[in-house]
Amino acid sequence: MIITLNHYLLLAAMLFCIGLYAALAKKNAISILMGIELMLNACIINLVAFNRFMAPDMVVGHVFGIFVIALAAAEVAVGLALVLTVYRDLLSVNIDDFNWLKW
Amino acid sequence: MDYTLLVPEIFVASLACLLLILGLIAPKGEKRGLVLFAIVGIIASIVVVAAHFNMFDGFLGRMYLVDSYASYFKVLFLVSVLLVCLTTTSYFKPLAGEGSEAYAIMLFATLGMMILVSAGELITLYVGMELMTISFYILTANLAGEDARSSEAGLKYLILGAVSSAVMLYGFTLLYGVTGTTLIHQIALHSDSSPAFWLGVVFALSGFGFKVAMVPFHMWAPEIYEGAPPPVTIFLAVASKAAGFAVFVRVFLTAFPYHADHWVPIIAFLAAITMILGNLAAIPQQNIKRMLAYSSIAQAGYLLVGLVAANQLGVKGILFYTMIYVFANVGAFAVTIVFNNVSESDDIADYSGLAQRSPLLAATLLICMLSMAGIPPLAGFAGKFYLFSAVIDQGFLWLAIIGLVMSMISVYYYLSVARVMYLGQVTDYSAIKVNGSMKLLLYGCMILSIILGVYPDALAQIANTAAKFMF
């Protein structure tokens, strides 16, 4: 079987949907952050696949992908730090317990 | 390549780094001086940006654009960070005492906005937007350890913001895949009408919609505005929203101009429900911050009207309105900061008799709110006039009518606060002290809200020059 662009896009779309589901349905803040990582990884697969199949002579997609990896790392670092501070304040990482503010 | 064009960005970046270092080496009691340092630096960068105002140039094949449109917004961001720094002098206790990092992070957020508004391609845009929002996550949670609401708001903002930016990024990857380029002006040339392209447009729309708190992506705004430290709330409500609009307008008018027939009705519909929902939800609010948060959602609806017009007049309206929106909102939120310092309450009922306790606070809140409502001699009226007249020219009379009706409804909830302040029973006769820099800020916001309403021409001319670069 030859692997075409559509296979990669399908993989990315599935990964994105799994990540979105995790971000929306999970109760644990850490799991939500993992879901967000999956969504960003789906974007990277998309970028690299498009670069390979649509415009192989330019590396714009690869460069974009590297930027996304770096920014995702920054985001998750801040995210984990915030989970820690929330844990210190509320002694929980379950988002159902975050009810100081009306949601 | 002319690196002098990047001087404002380099300047702000070095100022932020310098503040971080100074915060470490300054002795404990001397950290208040850092505010002054930040303020002087910000004023210098406003001068530098203003000097670049009439320039038009792009870097690396228009990856990074320095034009009047970008310079206008850069001045706006710097003015709002300046005003926010002034408000911190009377509020930000954790900032002034322990760490000066918050000033540095605010400047990094400003840098992100400046990059965002100058971005001519999607990678730069994404990096700028992330620099802005990640800085805001940290700022929102700045009171962690003292106020659990702050860290909770920070985490909520991070989760929602990260999901929305991931969705937006997925849209960008689709746009890149369909057009084979990330340059915004090239996307317009290579765009087609494939489903993937439209999916990209809709995902980008939702990402920008989240940043500007457009219905149905507005749910985060009231919670985060209430939980964040008040100066950060101001910064978020004013500068982050303006940055969102700056990039929203640039991307939609530069990258998708040939599909305007399709996206304009969608945005017209979203603008209408944003105005309706924002204003109606503001009426029952008991907490003044939540009320101002819903009113700022409604303001986003008015601003979207300018994007519906999709012409130079509409963009001019957006530019003009964002600037006066800065002064009106900073003034109103600053009053809530001072009041909260004294009474530790944000309930509208507690504002009873404020006019006797501090005429300045009551007058500023009244004038800023009436400006937001669009009462004639004030700046908000001129702004709404530009926005609605632009959209009527394009044949969206119904949208302008909805806007006018909703403005009238907004007068109701603004004036009910005024009624409490001026006619409410005085229970506490103690005068409220306002410190010097706060006074300067309150007078400044009040006077500018009046002057820009009586003589809107000067600012409107500048906005017009800046709007020309979009077409």
Side-chain angles (χ1 to χ4, degrees), chain B residues 139-219:
Chain B
L139 284 171
T140 305
N142 198 272
L143 288 184
E146 302 202 6
D147 186 351
R149 283 183 307 172
S150 174
S151 49
E152 184 188 318
L155 187 60
K156 279 180 178 173
Y157 188 33
L158 180 124
I159 290 171
L160 295 174
V163 170
S164 95
S165 79
V167 170
M168 186 184 73
L169 183 66
Y170 196 77
F172 286 174
T173 65
L174 292 176
L175 289 176
Y176 165 69
V178 172
T179 61
T181 176
T182 53
L183 285 162
I184 292 173
H185 69 280
Q186 292 276 336
I187 289 176
L189 301 178
H190 295 98
S191 60
D192 52 24
S193 288
S194 61
F197 176 78
W198 280 111
L199 207 58
V201 173
V202 170
F203 281 6
L205 174 72
S206 67
F208 297 142
F210 178 85
K211 288 282 169 299
V212 303
M214 170 179 84
V215 176
F217 310 108
H218 68 289
M219 293 303 289

Side-chain angles (χ1 to χ4, degrees), chain B residues 397-464:
Chain B
L397 185 62
W398 61 273
L399 193 59
I401 290 173
I402 290 180
L404 290 175
V405 171
M406 285 301 142
S407 299
M408 278 183 253
I409 288 176
S410 74
V411 175
Y412 167 74
Y413 60 80
Y414 290 134
L415 280 186
S416 56
V417 176
R419 196 192 66 216
V420 171
M421 286 192 305
Y422 281 91
L423 304 175
Q425 281 229 310
V426 191
T427 46
D428 180 0
Y429 286 93
S430 59
I432 296 175
K433 277 212 180 81
V434 183
N435 74 9
S437 57
M438 202 59 161
K439 240 179 215 166
L440 180 74
L441 174 101
L442 294 174
Y443 276 120
C445 290
M446 185 162 61
I447 290 168
L448 279 167
S449 292
I450 298 170
I451 288 180
L452 290 176
V454 181
Y455 303 107
D457 285 351
L459 182 62
Q461 280 292 331
I462 296 171
N464 203 20

Side-chain angles (χ1 to χ4, degrees), chain B residues 253-274:
Chain B
L253 293 183
T254 318
F256 318 131
Y258 306 125
H259 299 83
D261 293 347
H262 299 284
W263 58 258
V264 161
I266 300 174
I267 293 188
F269 174 70
L270 292 174
I273 57 169
T274 306

Side-chain angles (χ1 to χ4, degrees), chain A residues 13 16 32-33 43 46-47 50-51 54 60-61 64 67-68 71 75 78-79 82 86 89 98 100-103, chain B residues 123 126-127 130 134 137 141 145 148-149 151-152 154-156 158-160 162-163 166 169-170 173 176-177 182 223:
Chain A
F16 186 81
I32 293 175
L33 287 179
C43 295
N46 246 358
L47 284 169
F50 276 132
N51 196 113
M54 306 294 282
V60 180
F64 205 159
F67 271 101
V68 174
L71 288 168
E75 202 158 54
V78 173
L82 285 179
V86 167
D89 281 338
F98 301 173
W100 285 63
L101 303 166
K102 275 175 263 170
W103 187 236
Chain B
I123 304 175
Y126 182 65
V127 172
E130 288 299 288
I134 292 178
Y137 304 147
R149 283 183 307 172
S151 49
E152 184 188 318
L155 187 60
K156 279 180 178 173
L158 180 124
I159 290 171
L160 295 174
V163 170
L169 183 66
Y170 196 77
T173 65
Y176 165 69
T182 53
E223 280 82 25

